[in-house]
Amino acid sequence: MKPRVAIFDLTSCDGCQVEILNLEDHLLDILGKIDLVNFRIGKEVKEPGPYDIAIVEGSVSKEEEIEKIKKIRDDSKILIALGTCATHGGLQSNIHFMDENEVKKAAYNDKHPQQTRDIKAEPLSKYVKVDYSIRGCPIDKWDFVKVLKQLLIGKLPKEDNNPVCVECRFNENVCQFEEKGKCLGPMTHGGCNAVCPSNNQPCDGCRGPLEDLNLKAGIRIMKENGVSDEEILKMVRKYTGVDELYNKIEELVKNGNN
Ligand code: SF4
Ligand code: SF4
Ligand code: SF4
């Protein structure tokens, strides 16, 4: 019997699922080894659980999604969070730090009916146990292949705990602290081949903070380089601001030179 695998989405842009489709021929190889029983954007099939592996994209942003993710969890042996929306709430979790009415007005303006929002965007882990996170906005499609291969041989993959800086150095990039005075690379999980600094952009931390990050030092260096408090907060909150490791960020930014 092939393992039953289901891919679901909550509030998201579908971008991480599109990355899976971008595997093209490799995806056909994978499909030969699994029984794909749910994948809204990729296959016309929608079977009920139980599932051996559930892969979930998107943040929990509506009441009905709380029930949906709990049901998926109950139905699944292994639950994988796919992409930053699922692992950290993603871009939409900025709503935690903004005036909700202004956001609605900017998004829908006065001419359109405003959508009601019951809860603020949260990662899956706020409501259910997550067995493994495939990080990034979007994910790296090869990360998905690597993780699925490990799961298919009965192993839960181990997380790489290196910062983005490691891959950045391998790529011999000029450091963004020299170029722009800011970068979240030293505090952020690597695995993306330092794609942003390699294209002359600071890392915005989409893969989430390292558990042993030195937040105080990172903030102090950015402040010494003339980056404003507002800009530091905006960078940190862009994708993963609801992570509890950033709980004290406002206080630290305010006292960053102490
Ligand atoms: S993590 Fe990024 S690419 Fe993936 S669904 Fe969310 S917004 Fe889209
Ligand atoms: S550019 Fe960013 S990720 Fe690269 S070495 Fe400098 S601080 Fe680290
Ligand atoms: S460099 Fe940073 S922002 Fe860019 S993909 Fe990697 S973790 Fe995400």
Side-chain angles (χ1 to χ4, degrees):
M1 285 266 287
K2 291 178 186 174
R4 301 187 87 230
V5 178
I7 301 175
F8 297 98
D9 50 89
L10 306 178
T11 299
S12 66
C13 78
D14 291 348
C16 291
Q17 293 181 88
V18 169
E19 279 300 293
I20 296 174
L21 289 178
N22 284 343
L23 283 164
E24 298 176 350
D25 289 351
H26 291 274
L27 185 58
L28 294 177
D29 286 347
I30 292 169
L31 290 178
K33 295 179 177 63
I34 63 173
D35 188 9
L36 188 60
V37 294
N38 198 98
F39 185 18
R40 182 181 56 81
I41 71 165
K43 197 178 171 195
E44 277 188 36
V45 61
K46 195 175 176 184
E47 292 182 17
Y51 312 111
D52 292 297
I53 303 168
I55 298 163
V56 184
E57 177 196 82
S59 62
V60 183
S61 302
K62 303 174 201 152
E63 287 287 349
E64 71 215 46
E65 289 179 339
I66 299 177
E67 295 316 309
K68 185 171 175 183
I69 191 61
K70 286 183 175 170
K71 173 88 173 79
I72 293 170
R73 175 72 271 186
D74 287 347
D75 285 348
S76 312
K77 284 187 196 154
I78 292 172
L79 190 146
I80 305 293
L82 184 76
T84 308
C85 294
T87 62
H88 289 86
L91 284 170
Q92 60 270 37
S93 66
N94 275 277
I95 194 85
H96 286 259
F97 314 109
M98 299 167 87
D99 181 309
E100 195 163 339
N101 288 326
E102 275 185 27
V103 174
K104 281 180 180 169
K105 200 170 169 189
Y108 305 115
N109 73 43
D110 293 330
K111 292 178 191 145
H112 294 84
Q114 291 189 1
Q115 293 195 354
T116 52
R117 175 185 288 275
D118 325 312
I119 55 167
K120 292 182 173 175
E122 301 281 4
L124 308 187
S125 59
K126 168 135 181 150
Y127 298 102
V128 295
K129 176 177 175 272
V130 170
D131 296 303
Y132 191 82
S133 295
I134 303 180
R135 296 170 182 270
C137 178
I139 59 154
D140 179 328
K141 60 188 179 184
W142 299 114
D143 254 3
F144 173 81
V145 173
K146 198 169 71 185
V147 170
L148 200 59
K149 275 185 177 170
Q150 297 259 312
L151 292 173
L152 292 180
I153 56 168
K155 283 188 177 170
L156 201 56
K158 276 198 183 147
E159 264 241 280
D160 187 350
N161 209 27
N162 289 319
V164 177
C165 295
V166 171
E167 286 158 329
C168 201
R169 296 275 158 76
F170 276 127
N171 293 346
E172 299 183 357
N173 293 332
V174 175
C175 183
Q176 289 298 303
F177 274 105
E178 280 176 39
E179 291 278 305
K180 303 199 169 89
K182 60 183 182 180
C183 188
L184 294 186
M187 307 194 284
T188 301
H189 272 275
C192 59
N193 200 22
V195 63
C196 300
S198 300
N199 287 285
N200 202 25
Q201 293 297 323
C203 168
D204 277 340
C206 82
R207 295 174 72 90
L210 287 161
E211 287 66 27
D212 58 351
L213 84 169
N214 191 338
L215 192 51
K216 201 169 177 184
I219 291 168
R220 195 190 64 242
I221 296 167
M222 285 195 269
K223 284 174 77 115
E224 283 169 4
N225 279 295
V227 185
S228 69
D229 291 4
E230 196 186 25
E231 209 177 336
I232 296 171
L233 281 177
K234 209 165 144 190
M235 272 179 91
V236 166
R237 288 174 169 168
K238 184 170 177 185
Y239 294 103
T240 67
V242 297
D243 192 301
E244 60 183 25
L245 290 165
Y246 288 143
N247 271 353
K248 295 204 168 148
I249 183 79
E250 270 197 86
E251 200 184 312
L252 284 170
V253 166
K254 210 168 134 205
N255 303 312
N257 286 326
N258 297 334

